[in-house]
Structure formats: C-alpha cells, structure tokens
Amino acid sequence: MSAPERIPPRRVSPQELLAEGELTVRGRIPGASNAVLYCTVEHEGVSAACVYKPVAGERPLWDFPDGTLAQREVAAYELSEAMGWGLIPPTVLRDGPYGEGMCQLWIEASAEDSALLALVDGEEPEPGWKAVGPADVGEERTALLVHADDERLRRLAVLDAVINNGDRKGGHLLPAADGRLYAIDHGVTFNADDKLRTLLWGWAGEPLTDEAMEALRRLSANLADGSPLAERLAELITAEEIAALRARVAELLRTGRHREPSGQWPAIPWPPV
C-alpha cells in the first residue's frame, strides 16, 4: 500500500495573518504621541510580530478633522502596493483588544544599512549623497543635512509626494537585512491641502525616472472611478482627499519632475533625524 500523499500546509499571506490572526499585546512602544502597541499575531500555525495602533489611542488633529490616523496608514499602504514598490509593510484595518485600529507587520531594521541620512560639515555633499539644506545643531552652529543618493529613497520621495506626507522623518525609514527599504508612520497623509514635509528633497526639481513615470501612469489608471483601488480608498479617506490625490498624480505626470517645496508649509519636519 502506498503512503498517503502529504498535503503541504496552506500558505498564509501577511495580509491574511494580520487581518485574521489572534492579536496579543506584548507591550507599548514608548515615545509616540499616540498609542503604539507591540504585538504578536498568530493564524493557522503562522505567527509574526506586528504593530497595533488603536483608533481609541489617537489624539485629534485640527488639520485632519476627517477619518483616522489608522485609515490613512492603510490608504498609504494601498497606494504603495498600487505603485508596485512595496515600500510600506503589509498593513490592515482590523478589530483588536482596544477596538478598531491599524495593524502592520513588524520590520526589524538592519544596523548594517542605516546610513541613509546624515548631518555633515561643509556646503556641498560628498559623492553618493544629496543635499537637503542647513540644519541647526545647537550652540549657534549649523550643519548640512544630506540623504543617500539611493534609488529606494528616490521611490519613497515620489510616494510621499503622491500621498502628501506631512511627516517624513529619518526615524520612519527601516532598511531591512534583505536589502529592502520600508517606511512607516503614515497617519498624517492625504490632506487635500499641500502639506508635504520630508527629508527627501535632494531630487527636488529633477526629472522623474522612467520607472517612476510608469508607476504614476499605472496608478493614474487604477484611480479611475469605479476601480477596485478607488472603491477601497473611498472606505478610508474622503472624496475631497481622493480628488486631491488624483490631482497630485496628474501634476507629477504633467511636469515629469520631483516635487519642490511650495513655501506654504514648513518643508522639513522636526527633529530632522
């Protein structure tokens, strides 16, 4: 008699794991202005670490009166996936021990690949770096803020312009051991008004890459009324914010260039790194 055929275990996607798994709070991550909980999630024998940000732990923002931080975090993930770059860890909206919130796969940053931002002396960056601008370092001294001339950061600069990220700081960049770069903390995004604040201005005004233009054209098509992406975003952000999103994509395609600071909003978040 032949041995029974072994059926391999069903593969559980990160999205399914986060959405359907049992969420267990292990502790609170300190230093955040809103509740950020370190958790584990387990589903069908698969487990992973994750971050859970309950809506109940959010502080109201006067300039983001609609929706929640959690919804905008999920919307940012949806846009990252639609552009094909996978810059944001898998993120879902789900119920948890403290009510509905954002649940995102935990990414362990690699110390070996952390040199993405720096404060340096001098007026010009070294080869391989892009200048952002002068930064106050105390004692009436300034230094030049620079970021790496890195294609992963360049993609992120485009994504931030698309989602209108109001708070791209150095601590939100997570280089992983496998060479990928992830970005986190996207609660202050998608405002209908221009609020782009980022440390990634090094390419400001430069032509977008062919890859970026193709990603933007694909995204523009996927944002059409009635598309799955548009319907998903309608569950997360307002109609006015979706209209502004489409306008930002159209403007990037029209100019073919990286965004430049508008002058209507502080261009660099604080602290910068």
mmCIF file of all heavy atoms in Angstrom, residues 11-33:
data_model
loop_
_atom_site.group_PDB
_atom_site.id
_atom_site.type_symbol
_atom_site.label_atom_id
_atom_site.label_comp_id
_atom_site.label_asym_id
_atom_site.label_seq_id
_atom_site.Cartn_x
_atom_site.Cartn_y
_atom_site.Cartn_z
ATOM 1 N N ARG A 11 -0.417 28.211 2.513
ATOM 2 C CA ARG A 11 0.409 29.389 2.752
ATOM 3 C C ARG A 11 -0.494 30.544 3.200
ATOM 4 O O ARG A 11 -1.490 30.849 2.550
ATOM 5 C CB ARG A 11 1.170 29.778 1.495
ATOM 6 C CG ARG A 11 2.094 30.960 1.699
ATOM 7 C CD ARG A 11 2.917 31.239 0.464
ATOM 8 N NE ARG A 11 3.803 32.371 0.654
ATOM 9 C CZ ARG A 11 4.644 32.827 -0.255
ATOM 10 N NH1 ARG A 11 4.720 32.224 -1.436
ATOM 11 N NH2 ARG A 11 5.421 33.863 -0.002
ATOM 12 N N VAL A 12 -0.117 31.159 4.285
ATOM 13 C CA VAL A 12 -0.868 32.290 4.824
ATOM 14 C C VAL A 12 -0.147 33.571 4.434
ATOM 15 O O VAL A 12 1.030 33.754 4.748
ATOM 16 C CB VAL A 12 -1.000 32.189 6.363
ATOM 17 C CG1 VAL A 12 -1.722 33.407 6.913
ATOM 18 C CG2 VAL A 12 -1.727 30.905 6.741
ATOM 19 N N SER A 13 -0.830 34.477 3.740
ATOM 20 C CA SER A 13 -0.214 35.738 3.330
ATOM 21 C C SER A 13 -0.071 36.654 4.533
ATOM 22 O O SER A 13 -0.812 36.521 5.520
ATOM 23 C CB SER A 13 -1.060 36.420 2.261
ATOM 24 O OG SER A 13 -2.278 36.897 2.825
ATOM 25 N N PRO A 14 0.873 37.592 4.485
ATOM 26 C CA PRO A 14 0.982 38.549 5.597
ATOM 27 C C PRO A 14 -0.309 39.312 5.839
ATOM 28 O O PRO A 14 -0.673 39.566 6.995
ATOM 29 C CB PRO A 14 2.107 39.485 5.127
ATOM 30 C CG PRO A 14 2.921 38.667 4.183
ATOM 31 C CD PRO A 14 1.932 37.785 3.475
ATOM 32 N N GLN A 15 -1.029 39.669 4.765
ATOM 33 C CA GLN A 15 -2.280 40.407 4.926
ATOM 34 C C GLN A 15 -3.328 39.567 5.658
ATOM 35 O O GLN A 15 -4.031 40.059 6.547
ATOM 36 C CB GLN A 15 -2.813 40.851 3.553
ATOM 37 C CG GLN A 15 -1.951 41.881 2.857
ATOM 38 C CD GLN A 15 -0.769 41.258 2.109
ATOM 39 O OE1 GLN A 15 -0.532 40.049 2.151
ATOM 40 N NE2 GLN A 15 -0.019 42.098 1.410
ATOM 41 N N GLU A 16 -3.425 38.278 5.279
ATOM 42 C CA GLU A 16 -4.376 37.394 5.963
ATOM 43 C C GLU A 16 -3.982 37.179 7.414
ATOM 44 O O GLU A 16 -4.835 37.180 8.311
ATOM 45 C CB GLU A 16 -4.460 36.056 5.231
ATOM 46 C CG GLU A 16 -5.446 35.086 5.875
ATOM 47 C CD GLU A 16 -5.466 33.731 5.216
ATOM 48 O OE1 GLU A 16 -4.778 33.560 4.176
ATOM 49 O OE2 GLU A 16 -6.143 32.831 5.742
ATOM 50 N N LEU A 17 -2.695 36.993 7.647
ATOM 51 C CA LEU A 17 -2.211 36.811 9.010
ATOM 52 C C LEU A 17 -2.577 38.000 9.876
ATOM 53 O O LEU A 17 -3.088 37.844 10.994
ATOM 54 C CB LEU A 17 -0.697 36.612 8.985
ATOM 55 C CG LEU A 17 0.024 36.538 10.331
ATOM 56 C CD1 LEU A 17 -0.461 35.344 11.136
ATOM 57 C CD2 LEU A 17 1.534 36.475 10.124
ATOM 58 N N LEU A 18 -2.341 39.206 9.365
ATOM 59 C CA LEU A 18 -2.634 40.414 10.138
ATOM 60 C C LEU A 18 -4.126 40.611 10.344
ATOM 61 O O LEU A 18 -4.568 41.050 11.414
ATOM 62 C CB LEU A 18 -2.048 41.637 9.424
ATOM 63 C CG LEU A 18 -0.525 41.733 9.355
ATOM 64 C CD1 LEU A 18 -0.112 42.865 8.435
ATOM 65 C CD2 LEU A 18 0.080 41.929 10.741
ATOM 66 N N ALA A 19 -4.920 40.298 9.325
ATOM 67 C CA ALA A 19 -6.353 40.571 9.391
ATOM 68 C C ALA A 19 -7.121 39.527 10.189
ATOM 69 O O ALA A 19 -8.093 39.854 10.889
ATOM 70 C CB ALA A 19 -6.927 40.668 7.976
ATOM 71 N N GLU A 20 -6.699 38.248 10.084
ATOM 72 C CA GLU A 20 -7.475 37.163 10.667
ATOM 73 C C GLU A 20 -6.852 36.572 11.924
ATOM 74 O O GLU A 20 -7.520 35.856 12.671
ATOM 75 C CB GLU A 20 -7.651 36.047 9.632
ATOM 76 C CG GLU A 20 -8.277 36.483 8.321
ATOM 77 C CD GLU A 20 -9.715 36.936 8.490
ATOM 78 O OE1 GLU A 20 -10.370 36.480 9.456
ATOM 79 O OE2 GLU A 20 -10.187 37.749 7.671
ATOM 80 N N GLY A 21 -5.589 36.845 12.166
ATOM 81 C CA GLY A 21 -4.896 36.203 13.270
ATOM 82 C C GLY A 21 -5.317 36.705 14.644
ATOM 83 O O GLY A 21 -5.904 37.781 14.793
ATOM 84 N N GLU A 22 -4.986 35.906 15.643
ATOM 85 C CA GLU A 22 -5.234 36.291 17.038
ATOM 86 C C GLU A 22 -4.160 37.289 17.461
ATOM 87 O O GLU A 22 -2.965 36.994 17.421
ATOM 88 C CB GLU A 22 -5.213 35.069 17.938
ATOM 89 C CG GLU A 22 -5.480 35.408 19.398
ATOM 90 C CD GLU A 22 -5.477 34.178 20.283
ATOM 91 O OE1 GLU A 22 -5.327 33.060 19.756
ATOM 92 O OE2 GLU A 22 -5.610 34.343 21.518
ATOM 93 N N LEU A 23 -4.597 38.458 17.879
ATOM 94 C CA LEU A 23 -3.695 39.563 18.201
ATOM 95 C C LEU A 23 -3.467 39.603 19.712
ATOM 96 O O LEU A 23 -4.427 39.688 20.484
ATOM 97 C CB LEU A 23 -4.308 40.876 17.712
ATOM 98 C CG LEU A 23 -3.426 42.120 17.649
ATOM 99 C CD1 LEU A 23 -2.275 41.917 16.678
ATOM 100 C CD2 LEU A 23 -4.272 43.321 17.214
ATOM 101 N N THR A 24 -2.196 39.544 20.119
ATOM 102 C CA THR A 24 -1.846 39.567 21.536
ATOM 103 C C THR A 24 -0.907 40.729 21.802
ATOM 104 O O THR A 24 0.161 40.819 21.194
ATOM 105 C CB THR A 24 -1.163 38.249 21.962
ATOM 106 O OG1 THR A 24 -2.024 37.149 21.665
ATOM 107 C CG2 THR A 24 -0.855 38.272 23.450
ATOM 108 N N VAL A 25 -1.305 41.612 22.701
ATOM 109 C CA VAL A 25 -0.475 42.769 23.038
ATOM 110 C C VAL A 25 0.657 42.331 23.961
ATOM 111 O O VAL A 25 0.428 41.685 24.977
ATOM 112 C CB VAL A 25 -1.323 43.866 23.713
ATOM 113 C CG1 VAL A 25 -0.441 45.032 24.149
ATOM 114 C CG2 VAL A 25 -2.420 44.363 22.770
ATOM 115 N N ARG A 26 1.884 42.712 23.584
ATOM 116 C CA ARG A 26 3.055 42.362 24.387
ATOM 117 C C ARG A 26 3.632 43.552 25.132
ATOM 118 O O ARG A 26 4.371 43.384 26.102
ATOM 119 C CB ARG A 26 4.141 41.775 23.475
ATOM 120 C CG ARG A 26 3.712 40.538 22.700
ATOM 121 C CD ARG A 26 3.343 39.395 23.622
ATOM 122 N NE ARG A 26 2.987 38.188 22.878
ATOM 123 C CZ ARG A 26 2.566 37.062 23.441
ATOM 124 N NH1 ARG A 26 2.450 36.980 24.769
ATOM 125 N NH2 ARG A 26 2.242 36.012 22.705
ATOM 126 N N GLY A 27 3.334 44.759 24.686
ATOM 127 C CA GLY A 27 3.848 45.950 25.358
ATOM 128 C C GLY A 27 3.571 47.196 24.540
ATOM 129 O O GLY A 27 3.082 47.128 23.403
ATOM 130 N N ARG A 28 3.883 48.331 25.136
ATOM 131 C CA ARG A 28 3.682 49.616 24.467
ATOM 132 C C ARG A 28 5.032 50.166 24.020
ATOM 133 O O ARG A 28 6.016 50.110 24.758
ATOM 134 C CB ARG A 28 2.990 50.612 25.385
ATOM 135 C CG ARG A 28 2.703 51.955 24.729
ATOM 136 C CD ARG A 28 1.736 52.791 25.538
ATOM 137 N NE ARG A 28 1.436 54.053 24.851
ATOM 138 C CZ ARG A 28 0.484 54.905 25.230
ATOM 139 N NH1 ARG A 28 -0.271 54.621 26.288
ATOM 140 N NH2 ARG A 28 0.273 56.019 24.565
ATOM 141 N N ILE A 29 5.062 50.693 22.778
ATOM 142 C CA ILE A 29 6.279 51.299 22.264
ATOM 143 C C ILE A 29 6.342 52.737 22.758
ATOM 144 O O ILE A 29 5.446 53.537 22.449
ATOM 145 C CB ILE A 29 6.303 51.235 20.721
ATOM 146 C CG1 ILE A 29 6.289 49.771 20.269
ATOM 147 C CG2 ILE A 29 7.530 51.956 20.177
ATOM 148 C CD1 ILE A 29 6.192 49.586 18.774
ATOM 149 N N PRO A 30 7.369 53.110 23.541
ATOM 150 C CA PRO A 30 7.403 54.443 24.142
ATOM 151 C C PRO A 30 7.802 55.516 23.130
ATOM 152 O O PRO A 30 8.330 55.229 22.059
ATOM 153 C CB PRO A 30 8.466 54.310 25.235
ATOM 154 C CG PRO A 30 9.389 53.246 24.713
ATOM 155 C CD PRO A 30 8.512 52.280 23.956
ATOM 156 N N GLY A 31 7.515 56.759 23.502
ATOM 157 C CA GLY A 31 7.976 57.894 22.711
ATOM 158 C C GLY A 31 7.011 58.364 21.647
ATOM 159 O O GLY A 31 7.241 59.403 21.029
ATOM 160 N N ALA A 32 5.943 57.645 21.396
ATOM 161 C CA ALA A 32 4.981 58.037 20.365
ATOM 162 C C ALA A 32 3.923 58.947 20.964
ATOM 163 O O ALA A 32 3.550 58.817 22.134
ATOM 164 C CB ALA A 32 4.330 56.808 19.753
ATOM 165 N N SER A 33 3.420 59.879 20.146
ATOM 166 C CA SER A 33 2.387 60.795 20.620
ATOM 167 C C SER A 33 1.018 60.131 20.685
ATOM 168 O O SER A 33 0.110 60.624 21.344
ATOM 169 C CB SER A 33 2.323 62.028 19.714
ATOM 170 O OG SER A 33 2.090 61.649 18.368
#
